[in-house]
């Protein structure tokens, strides 16, 4: 089993549903996104293009974050998932130093602080974060907290440790796709097993010339990008002066 | 001690104040977490980490200096060897505290037990933790043997050689921590090992020189041996600074020769205060002072050079860290400015204040009670 | 690997996932995944066990009203709490797809700043700078206050001085908006529609007789020519188009006309950054090219009788030489407007190269008829936008795209029935009261609002502010408003501050204390539509129409009440207590459970029965008329959505609801409407057009044509044109208290996270000495706002583009910089002048004002 994801940039509409869905599924606190994007506007008016590349942990076969972690808190799990165990994390952030992709985040503060606050807008008339959280039975956490995340990680990671994408390992073990894949309205994310030549990911990688981020570093990422975000056509030309 | 009562009192008060403020910062950090720092996911290592590098590497330099007489028979350094050993202990403790206070709140610190129970042999940080642990033990052990006057007994020599080797390996592991970060060439890869070596020597020498000058000025009777030793230390410092300049220039040239995006952080740092303090105050001016034989023997010049070198080296550690992480990498660059403007928070300065006050307190107490000028029995 | 559909199938009911099962599976997995994981698996388990023991988790059907797409959704409910949102796979419109903003409904329903109890104003002074000093009151007391006021108005013969303002609604609206207003005795039910999209409906209505939102058949199209819409980000059917776009690109070429590089333009072959307000010019120039090149679609438009193309630049054509098929007036259109409208002519005024105009027109027409000219709000929600609406839409007629495969389509049939009539409950006071002129002044000479061909047929929402403030035609003494925020969302919203201050008794039903609430005497805590409310919606897309059902599906520890059903029911009871029982009798006599015949005993039963009644023909198998067959109410509640039959292509050719039955290039329908309006005011069409600010005179008024944009602000003093647009994460204007909104503001190309950024072309910025991140003030002739500047090549030089959505000074602790005092960012509507496309009644948002920028 070798999990991998193909991202079809032509299907991607750059909407960010994956980012929000991930934050939702994994109870990410404000400021942390496991799934994110790299955008770029190139050209000069009126010849301008906007580019968008969805990103997440690349679950590298040769993961520098795993190699460098002193306590094996960052480790390789089944299917090649680069997994993190916050209970072993000493907070040294060497994984952040080592990750060429910038997809690991450290919890600098207590997560979800909004839900601890007692301040109200209008006295006796509006709720507070703390009041909502306790009324819904989720003290200090968002009422929309996803408890299912808690099956393999603390549902919210505490202050002082790093966190990152797990390919939704808690869903994979129940036979479900990573939530960003399910939530993508455009079906731009295709997930599967590279070891299975019949899997959709294997087929797509065989069909298009995929590329991966910073391939020259030799990390062997498991996120493959195919096709182009911009479909633009142009009139045939040889150029000239 | 010849120091006046007023001076002693003021100094004591200052140390207590420093310790108290520093302790407040440290306790806040341990309880509230690193959110009180201004480091974030882009500049993930900042001032406390710079403190770790500075004190840790200074300790390495001091260990070497304290071992020269016992291990290599450089007997002209006997008068400063014990002081060097003490300072090595104090600065190493300071460095390790900086690192510890850069990990996280108490809940994170308790996870340090996994260094023992879940070792990762491919991790430079793991090796660093282990080596620095043993290194610290040997530094303590070594000072004790010296204090008991057992410089040349078996345990004394064992401690000295052990401490020397461990200082070397732990310094090496520190270099590897940065050297293997393939993603951040701004840390200068293994070139950094060379830079760490020469600057560790320079800061060790400067620390020792500084303490010796101050100690001398506060003491009634002059120790001729120590004065002579200082002249030698000054010369060594000059040489170390010369070497530092060479490696420093190599870094600069390398950044321009390979104008990769990865070096942009370092190029950006060239206009920073820390870079210029490092180069001008830390290397060029003291080098100029120490180039003159007469000044090398002048206590005021020695003092000035030593202080400048220490300040410059501290700035250099800061600069080196930021060179590797001031430029957002990968996804972090999305929506971020080209370079992060990082100014340490008062809590980060508080940590530095704490460990600096601690070093000075240990040194002050040791100077008073532990006879740091002692030389071995057969000297 | 299977999709997460284990809990979706209609009849599956709830699936109970016991915590023990979770532990077991995670332990097993932990063993497989290695030592690293098993340890961490224990930690959260302890907590979950202690707290809940057992959890029920289920995907429950719902619907999203974050924008007007109105997608069918499912909500993952665990232990009574909404945890996740996804598209309802049973919908044939959005087909399980879910845009990003849908997820943010979670942050809305669990907004820490929600109003938890009814609250009463204690400060009698009203104004922007007057703290209302709200105090909590019981529902009982609140309803008593309302009932007393209604009784007072009726007793004084002033029932028409009651007013109902509607914001976001479901089709349950009729209970509160229509019947309650009428039974009380007022004509004043004012909707938000004219600040929504009426201009967009104008063109299609006066060409093909359809007043509504079109569907665009992107999966079967060969060319998408899109005017000022941003379907991948803002509107409409964002989920569906997001799903279909990648495949559409495989087959179709896409050209986007828009002054800024929109999210959709980023996914197009061509971006045509025309000067704002010149879409109509481009459209007629393209029509010119299509005709002169002989590329019109003959099976729809017909041909010259001898097959020889006489459409030659500058030359009039004899109408008799052309035999039209399913269209009306193509030659007259050519003679009146198109013959001189060359691409060169358009280049000079629109700033788009003639070659590009020609190329797009030719490629578009060559791909006919499976092409579409897609009309968005940008070109039409303008002062003279009605004619641009016609011009852009008329291209669909030339290429036969109207009602065709891969083209533009109208709505499929649906079979909801609405609610029983209430005529018998209108007493004399009510009958008299409803005869008064409406407060929005619709139908006056200068406000024709020709919805569906009728003078005064449509609303002119934003004009109601002037009606109230000027007491013209009369004063308003009591108003109820729900899920609206007109002083924030309507152009020149400051006018509403003044108007609302004048209303002696204003009730606002809302989830958050908004800018509108600030002026209210009573604020009632509303349910959140997606999770806490009964209702149903209708919308179209992908060649289908669906009717999603809204239901209360989560625990509600606070006493929120449903705006459209529970509150009218409770008020009806209170009125009955005071001797006026018509409303209550209407509710209990006419809203019996269609299955048991039982009358509703309380507001909760009433709500569900009402939903049952209106949708009965969808779920009652005995009354099935078409579309999905659903076996009873319980099954409908589980599936949550009904789908129509597929779209019948070309069924409307020559059967259109225009006067001629044809696709009208010469709009006989508009001619009649305008003449009727003129007649009503004893004047002619030219005079109507003059007072309504249009340029056309004579016959030109009845064909699609270009009019110079009418823009406020002297170009000398105000050098930049303001381009308003909608953000990807806007849930209407209600996202501003959600953290995800700010964290991901830059999902809008060119925008900046945590900022309300005005986007300037670097050239303009350099000239103004403005740098990225500078704090600036944007000043228009009617107001000024503060925000930050950002530099972006994706904006046409001469324009400044900014998202609508921020600039709240109320609404919540995150939405406002200082609640009640200082806005966070700037609200575009404070600089947009209140002006209108008067033919449609639509408020003007685009190419409406010039601005100047001052660096702070």
């Amino acid at each position: 089993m070798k999990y991998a994801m193909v991202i079809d940039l032509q299907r991607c509409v750059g909407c960010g549903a994956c980012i929000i869905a991930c934050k939702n599924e994994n109870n990410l606190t404000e400021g942390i996104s496991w799934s994110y994007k790299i955008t770029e506007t190139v050209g000069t008016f009126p010849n301008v293009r906007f580019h968008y590349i969805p990103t997440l942990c690349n679950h590298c076969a040769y993961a520098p974050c795993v190699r460098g972690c002193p306590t094996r808190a960052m480790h390789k799990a089944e299917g090649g998932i680069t997994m993190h165990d916050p209970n072993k994390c000493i907070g040294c952030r060497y994984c952040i130093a080592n990750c060429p992709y910038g997809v690991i985040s450290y919890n600098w503060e207590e997560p979800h602080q909004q839900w601890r606050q007692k301040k109200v807008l209008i006295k006796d008339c509006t709720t507070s974060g703390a009041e909502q959280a306790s009324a819904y039975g989720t003290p200090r956490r968002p009422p929309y907290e996803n408890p299912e995340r808690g099956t393999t990680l603390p549902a919210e990671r505490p202050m002082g440790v790093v966190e990152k994408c797990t390919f939704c390992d808690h869903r994979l073990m129940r036979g479900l796709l990573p939530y960003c894949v399910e939530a993508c309205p455009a079906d731009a994310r295709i997930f599967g097993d590279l070891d299975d030549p019949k899997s959709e990911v294997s087929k797509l990688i065989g069909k298009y010339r995929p590329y991966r981020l910073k391939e020259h570093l030799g990390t062997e990422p498991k996120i493959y990008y195919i096709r182009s975000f911009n479909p633009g056509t142009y009139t045939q030309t040889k150029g000239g002066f | 001690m010849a120091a006046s009562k007023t001076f002693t009192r003021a100094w004591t008060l200052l140390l207590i104040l420093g310790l108290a403020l520093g302790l407040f910062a440290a306790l806040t950090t341990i309880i509230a977490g690193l959110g009180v720092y201004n480091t974030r996911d882009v500049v993930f290592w900042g001032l406390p980490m710079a403190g770790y590098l500075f004190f840790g590497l200074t300790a390495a330099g001091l260990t070497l200096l304290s071992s020269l007489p016992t291990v290599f028979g450089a007997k002209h350094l006997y008068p400063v060897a014990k002081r060097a050993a003490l300072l090595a202990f104090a600065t190493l403790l300071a460095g390790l505290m900086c690192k510890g206070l850069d990990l996280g709140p108490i809940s994170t610190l308790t996870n340090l037990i996994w260094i023992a129970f879940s070792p990762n042999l491919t991790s430079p940080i793991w090796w660093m933790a282990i080596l620095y642990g043993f290194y610290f033990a040997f530094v303590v052990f070594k000072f004790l043997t010296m204090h008991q006057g057992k410089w040349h007994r078996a345990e004394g020599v064992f401690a000295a050689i052990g401490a020397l080797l461990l200082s070397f390996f732990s310094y090496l592991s520190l270099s590897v921590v940065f050297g293997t970060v393939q993603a951040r060439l701004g840390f200068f890869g293994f070139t950094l090992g060379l830079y760490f070596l020469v600057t560790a020597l320079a800061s060790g020498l400067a620390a020792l020189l500084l303490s010796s000058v101050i100690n001398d000025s506060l003491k009634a009777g002059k120790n001729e041996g120590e004065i002579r030793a200082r002249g030698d230390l000054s010369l060594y410092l000059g040489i170390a600074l010369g070497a530092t300049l060479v490696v420093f220039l190599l870094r600069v040239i390398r950044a321009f020769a390979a104008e990769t995006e990865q070096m942009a952080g370092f190029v950006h740092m060239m206009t920073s205060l820390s870079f210029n303090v490092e180069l001008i105050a830390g290397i060029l001016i003291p080098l100029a002072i120490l180039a003159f034989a007469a000044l090398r023997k002048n206590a005021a010049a020695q003092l000035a050079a030593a202080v400048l070198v220490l300040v410059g080296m501290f700035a250099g550690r800061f600069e080196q860290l930021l060179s590797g992480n001031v430029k957002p990498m990968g996804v972090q660059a999305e929506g971020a400015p080209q370079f992060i403007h990082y100014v340490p928070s008062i809590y980060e300065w508080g940590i530095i204040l704490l460990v600096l006050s601690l070093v000075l307190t240990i040194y002050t107490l040791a100077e008073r009670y532990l006879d740091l000028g002692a030389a071995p029995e057969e000297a | 690997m299977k999709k997460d559909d284990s809990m979706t199938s209609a009849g599956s009911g709830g699936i109970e996932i016991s915590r023990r099962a979770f532990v077991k599976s995670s332990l097993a997995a932990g063993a497989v995944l290695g030592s690293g994981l098993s340890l961490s698996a224990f930690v959260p388990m302890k907590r979950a066990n202690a707290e809940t023991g057992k959890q029920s988790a289920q995907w429950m059907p719902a619907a999203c009203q974050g924008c007007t797409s109105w997608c069918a959704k499912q909500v993952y409910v665990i232990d009574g709490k909404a945890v996740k949102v996804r598209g309802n796979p049973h919908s044939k419109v959005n087909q399980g797809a879910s845009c990003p903003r849908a997820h943010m409904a979670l942050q809305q329903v669990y907004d820490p700043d929600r109003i938890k109890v009814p609250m009463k104003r204690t400060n009698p002074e009203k104004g922007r700078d007057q703290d209302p000093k709200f105090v909590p009151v019981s529902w009982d007391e609140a309803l008593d206050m309302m009932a007393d006021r209604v009784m007072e108005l009726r007793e004084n013969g002033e029932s028409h001085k009651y007013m109902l303002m509607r914001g976001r609604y479901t089709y349950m609206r009729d209970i509160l908006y229509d019947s309650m207003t009428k039974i009380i005795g007022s004509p004043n039910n004012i909707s938000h529609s004219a600040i929504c999209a009426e201009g967009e409906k104008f063109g299609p209505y006066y060409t093909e007789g359809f007043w509504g939102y079109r569907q665009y058949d992107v999966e079967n199209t060969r060319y998408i020519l899109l005017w000022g819409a941003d379907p991948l980000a803002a509107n409409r059917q964002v989920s569906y188009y997001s799903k279909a776009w990648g495949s559409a690109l495989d087959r179709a070429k896409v050209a986007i006309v828009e002054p800024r590089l929109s999210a959709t333009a980023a996914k197009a072959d061509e971006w045509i950054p025309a000067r704002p307000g010149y879409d109509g010019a481009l459209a007629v120039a393209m029509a010119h090219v299509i005709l002169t090149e002989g590329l019109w679609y003959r099976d729809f438009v017909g041909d010259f009788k001898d097959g020889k193309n006489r459409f030659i630049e500058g030359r009039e054509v004899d109408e008799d030489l052309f035999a039209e098929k399913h269209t009306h007036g193509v030659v007259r259109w050519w003679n009146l407007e198109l013959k001189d409208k060359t691409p060169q002519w358009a280049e000079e005024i629109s700033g788009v190269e003639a070659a590009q105009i020609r190329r797009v027109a030719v490629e578009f027409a060559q791909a006919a008829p499976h092409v579409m000219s897609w009309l968005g709000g940008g070109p039409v929600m303008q002062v003279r936008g009605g004619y641009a609406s016609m011009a852009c839409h008329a291209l669909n007629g030339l290429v036969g795209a109207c009602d065709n495969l891969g083209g533009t389509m109208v709505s499929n049939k649906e079979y909801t029935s609405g609610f029983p009539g209430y005529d018998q409950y209108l007493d004399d006071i009510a009958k008299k009261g409803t005869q008064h002129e409406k407060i929005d002044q619709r139908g006056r000479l200068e406000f024709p609002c020709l919805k569906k061909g009728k003078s005064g047929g449509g609303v002119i929402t934003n004009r109601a502010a002037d009606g109230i403030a000027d007491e013209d035609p009369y004063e308003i003494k009591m108003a109820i408003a729900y899920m609206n925020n007109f002083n924030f969302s309507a152009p020149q919203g400051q006018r509403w501050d003044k108007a609302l201050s004048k209303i002696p008794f204003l009730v606002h039903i809302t989830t958050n204390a908004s800018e509108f609430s600030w002026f209210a005497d009573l604020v009632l805590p509303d349910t959140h539509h997606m999770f806490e409310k009964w209702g149903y919606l209708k919308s179209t897309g992908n060649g289908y129409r669906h009717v999603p059902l809204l239901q209360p599906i989560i625990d509600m520890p606070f006493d929120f009440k449903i705006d459209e059903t529970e509150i009218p029911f409770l008020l009806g009871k209170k009125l009955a207590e005071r001797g006026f029982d018509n409303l209550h009798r209407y509710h209990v006599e006419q809203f019996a459970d269609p299955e048991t015949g039982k009358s509703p005993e309380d507001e909760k039963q009433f709500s569900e029965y009402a939903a049952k009644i209106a949708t009965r023909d969808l779920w009652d198998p005995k009354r099935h008329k078409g579309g999905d067959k659903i076996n009873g109410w319980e099954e409908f509640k589980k599936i949550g959505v009904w789908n129509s039959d597929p779209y019948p292509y070309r069924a409307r050719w020559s059967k259109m609801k225009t006067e001629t039955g044809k696709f009208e290039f010469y709009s006989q329908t508009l001619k009649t409407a305008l003449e009727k309006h003129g007649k009503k005011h004893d004047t002619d069409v030219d005079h109507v057009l003059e007072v309504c600010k249009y340029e056309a005179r004579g016959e030109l008024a009845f064909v699609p044509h270009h009019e110079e944009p009418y823009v406020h602000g002297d170009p000398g003093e105000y050098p930049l044109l303001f381009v308003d647009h909608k953000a990807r994460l806007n849930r209407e204007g209600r996202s501003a208290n959600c953290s995800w909104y700010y964290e991901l503001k830059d999902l809008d190309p060119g925008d900046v996270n945590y900022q309300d950024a005005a986007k300037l072309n670097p050239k303009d910025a350099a000239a103004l000495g403005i740098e990225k991140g500078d704090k600036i003030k944007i000043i228009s002739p009617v107001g000024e706002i503060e925000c930050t500047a950002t530099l972006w090549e994706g904006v046409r030089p001469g324009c400044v583009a900014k998202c609508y959505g921020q600039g709240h000074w109320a609404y919540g602790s995150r939405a406002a910089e200082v609640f009640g005092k200082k806005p966070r960012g700037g609200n575009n509507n404070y600089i947009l002048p209140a002006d209108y496309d008067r033919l449609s009644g639509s408020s003007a948002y685009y190419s409406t004002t010039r601005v100047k920028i001052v660096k702070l």
Side-chain angles (χ1 to χ4, degrees), chain C residues 496-551:
Chain C
W496 279 96
D497 291 353
K498 210 175 118 201
L500 297 177
S501 299
K502 279 200 76 164
I503 301 175
F505 188 69
L506 177 63
V507 183
H508 196 208
I509 310 171
T510 175
T511 55
N512 288 59
S514 68
E515 287 76 7
F516 197 97
S517 315
W518 193 256
F519 298 88
D521 296 270
L522 198 55
V523 181
L524 305 177
D526 202 355
T527 48
H528 189 282
H529 67 268
M530 195 155 160
F531 312 94
E532 298 168 336
K533 174 176 176 171
W534 281 106
Y536 66 99
L537 308 171
K538 301 180 249 184
S539 72
T540 59
N542 188 35
Y544 287 93
R545 190 172 208 172
H546 70 181
V547 178
L549 186 68
L550 296 92
Q551 314 167 58

Side-chain angles (χ1 to χ4, degrees), chain A residues 3 9-17 19-21 23-25 29-33 36-37 41 43-46 48-50 52 75-78 83 85-88 114-115 121-129 131-132 135-138 141 143-148 150-156 169 171-177 179 181-183 185-187 191 227-233 235, chain C residues 1-4 7 17 19 22 25-26 29 32-33 36-37 39-41 43-45 47 51 55 57 59 76 78 81-86 97-100 103 106-107 110-117 119 134-136 232 242-243 245-247 249-250 253 261 266-269 271 273 359 513 555 557-558 728-729 739-740 743-744 746-747 749 753-754 761 792-797 812-814 819:
Chain A
Y3 292 128
L9 294 173
Q10 180 173 316
R11 287 203 191 280
C12 173
V13 294
C15 73
I19 305 174
I20 299 185
K23 290 182 74 79
N24 185 192
E25 174 73 30
T29 191
E30 187 169 358
I32 292 181
S33 295
Y36 208 55
K37 80 255 181 343
T41 301
T44 311
F45 181 90
V48 190
R49 279 275 158 176
F50 177 77
Y52 184 106
H75 60 275
K76 278 287 173 188
E78 194 217 5
M83 188 69 198
D85 177 357
N87 296 306
K88 283 185 183 171
Q114 184 178 15
W115 304 101
L121 272 191
I122 304 171
K123 194 169 164 281
D124 300 330
C125 295
T126 58
T127 61
S128 67
E131 184 180 358
Q132 286 243 352
Y136 288 100
T138 55
R141 285 130 49 217
Y144 54 88
E145 175 200 64
N146 175 20
E148 291 173 6
T151 45
T152 64
L153 273 181
E156 284 92 14
D169 61 309
R171 292 173 58 87
L172 293 175
M173 67 167 59
R174 289 168 58 201
L176 302 174
L177 288 165
Y179 198 52
V181 176
E182 182 176 320
D187 299 337
F191 190 79
R227 303 207 286 178
S228 167
F229 187 74
N230 306 111
T233 47
T235 313
Chain C
M1 194 68 47
K2 66 183 196 286
K3 259 250 182 192
D4 187 359
M7 294 160 215
I17 300 174
R19 267 291 162 188
F22 264 179
S25 65
S26 67
V32 177
L33 294 182
L37 208 56
L39 193 98
S40 60
V43 178
M45 229 33 58
R47 196 179 77 194
E51 276 175 14
Q55 298 195 322
W59 284 101
Y76 198 46
I78 302 182
K81 290 182 290 271
V83 168
K84 294 190 263 186
V85 175
R86 70 177 181 189
S98 193
C99 80
H103 304 283
L106 297 167
Q107 292 197 325
Y110 300 120
D111 184 333
D113 294 321
R114 266 186 89 171
I115 304 166
K116 61 177 177 182
V117 288
M119 54 190 203
F134 286 121
V135 296
L232 296 182
S242 295
K243 186 182 182 76
W245 204 259
S247 298
L249 288 173
D250 283 336
K253 216 165 189 188
L261 187 67
K267 298 281 299 173
D269 294 87
W271 174 41
R359 183 179 67 246
D555 290 348
F558 304 100
R728 205 155 211 162
L729 295 184
S739 62
W740 292 338
E743 269 189 276
L744 292 164
D746 72 348
L747 288 176
N753 288 342
Y754 289 96
N761 188 282
W792 196 46
E793 284 289 351
V795 182
R796 184 180 177 85
S813 49
R814 202 188 283 270
F819 179 74

Side-chain angles (χ1 to χ4, degrees), chain C residues 216-268:
Chain C
Y216 293 101
D217 193 9
V218 295
E219 288 175 90
N220 293 309
T221 199
R222 293 289 181 271
Y223 204 107
I224 298 173
L225 171 59
L226 187 150
W227 307 88
D230 200 358
L232 296 182
N235 210 352
R236 185 167 297 112
Q237 297 313 344
V238 178
S239 301
Y240 164 62
Y241 291 126
S242 295
K243 186 182 182 76
W245 204 259
S247 298
L249 288 173
D250 283 336
R251 290 181 282 272
K253 216 165 189 188
V254 183
I256 311 281
V257 187
E258 170 90 48
R260 57 158 191 123
L261 187 67
S262 64
T264 310
K267 298 281 299 173

Side-chain angles (χ1 to χ4, degrees), chain C residues 112-429:
Chain C
D113 294 321
R114 266 186 89 171
I115 304 166
K116 61 177 177 182
V117 288
M119 54 190 203
K120 181 176 81 173
R121 183 185 201 92
T122 58
N123 180 359
E125 297 295 315
K126 288 186 183 178
R128 170 78 174 73
D129 54 353
Q130 294 291 331
D131 185 335
K133 299 209 162 57
F134 286 121
V135 296
V137 291
S138 67
W139 272 102
D140 203 45
E141 190 184 340
L143 290 161
D144 279 336
M145 285 168 69
M146 290 162 71
D148 287 343
R149 288 288 184 148
V150 171
M151 294 307 290
E152 194 185 317
L153 287 178
R154 285 178 49 87
E155 278 155 22
N156 297 337
E158 297 180 316
S159 63
H160 58 289
K161 295 181 180 175
Y162 166 87
M163 175 185 185
L164 188 286
M165 284 173 265
R166 186 186 92 195
R168 196 243 299 108
Y169 66 99
T170 75
Y171 285 94
M172 307 293 266
R173 67 185 180 192
D174 292 343
I175 294 168
L176 173 66
Y177 168 77
D178 184 35
S179 57
M180 185 171 114
T181 311
K182 302 286 168 56
I183 290 171
I184 286 174
S186 171
N188 290 313
N189 49 355
I190 302 297
S191 81
H192 74 288
S193 298
I195 56 170
C196 183
E198 299 303 84
E200 219 187 286
K201 301 169 185 169
F202 186 86
Y205 184 80
Y206 288 104
T207 50
E208 58 162 305
F210 174 66
W211 190 274
Y213 302 141
R214 283 82 47 220
Q215 309 182 55
Y216 293 101
D217 193 9
V218 295
E219 288 175 90
N220 293 309
T221 199
R222 293 289 181 271
Y223 204 107
I224 298 173
L225 171 59
L226 187 150
W227 307 88
D230 200 358
L232 296 182
N235 210 352
R236 185 167 297 112
Q237 297 313 344
V238 178
S239 301
Y240 164 62
Y241 291 126
S242 295
K243 186 182 182 76
W245 204 259
S247 298
L249 288 173
D250 283 336
R251 290 181 282 272
K253 216 165 189 188
V254 183
I256 311 281
V257 187
E258 170 90 48
R260 57 158 191 123
L261 187 67
S262 64
T264 310
K267 298 281 299 173
D269 294 87
E270 300 216 28
W271 174 41
I272 308 175
R275 286 177 65 197
Y278 290 90
D279 308 75
L282 291 182
V284 295
M286 287 180 187
H288 176 97
V289 172
I290 291 167
L291 292 181
T292 53
E293 300 282 332
L295 293 171
W296 70 88
Y297 187 63
R298 284 161 176 78
D299 287 351
F300 188 69
V301 182
D303 201 355
F304 286 100
K305 287 171 185 162
D306 58 2
K308 194 181 150 207
N309 186 7
R310 289 179 180 75
F311 293 124
I312 297 162
E313 183 189 331
R315 287 200 209 159
E316 289 217 3
V317 175
D318 182 350
E319 285 184 38
D320 292 338
L321 298 177
F322 198 99
E324 283 188 87
K325 274 192 171 165
H326 302 291
T327 63
H328 172 74
V330 66
V331 176
R332 213 176 298 171
W333 185 25
W334 167 263
N335 291 339
L336 286 166
E337 171 70 4
L338 299 182
K339 67 181 190 320
D340 304 316
K341 298 298 186 283
T342 61
Q344 287 73 22
W345 162 82
E347 174 179 311
E348 275 168 38
I349 54 174
S350 69
V352 178
E353 282 179 26
Q356 190 178 19
I357 299 171
R358 180 174 298 280
R359 183 179 67 246
V360 170
V362 167
E363 288 177 359
F364 173 73
Q366 277 173 342
H370 307 302
V371 301
M372 57 180 67
S373 171
W374 183 325
L375 181 61
V380 304
M381 302 284 277
Q382 303 187 1
V383 176
R384 290 166 175 163
Y387 287 111
S389 184
M390 290 175 75
C392 297
H393 192 70
L395 291 177
N396 287 312
L398 281 188
V399 294
C402 181
D403 225 33
N404 210 340
L405 185 79
T408 159
M409 313 179 287
V410 300
S411 303
N412 308 53
K413 267 206 181 111
E414 55 85 21
Y415 307 101
T416 60
S417 60
F419 304 105
Y422 51 85
D423 282 354
Q424 63 196 94
Y425 302 98
L426 296 173
D427 61 10
D428 290 342
I429 298 174

Side-chain angles (χ1 to χ4, degrees), chain C residues 752-768:
Chain C
V752 186
N753 288 342
Y754 289 96
Q755 285 185 19
D756 192 12
K759 299 181 279 288
L760 285 155
N761 188 282
K763 263 189 210 152
D764 292 330
L768 290 163

Side-chain angles (χ1 to χ4, degrees), chain B residues 320-345:
Chain B
Q320 180 258 322
L321 281 176
L322 290 192
S323 292
N325 67 12
V326 75
K327 185 173 190 302
M329 193 166 68
V331 172
Q332 294 170 342
E334 174 69 2
Q338 206 186 349
F339 299 102
I340 299 296
H341 183 65
Y342 161 72
V343 179
S345 77

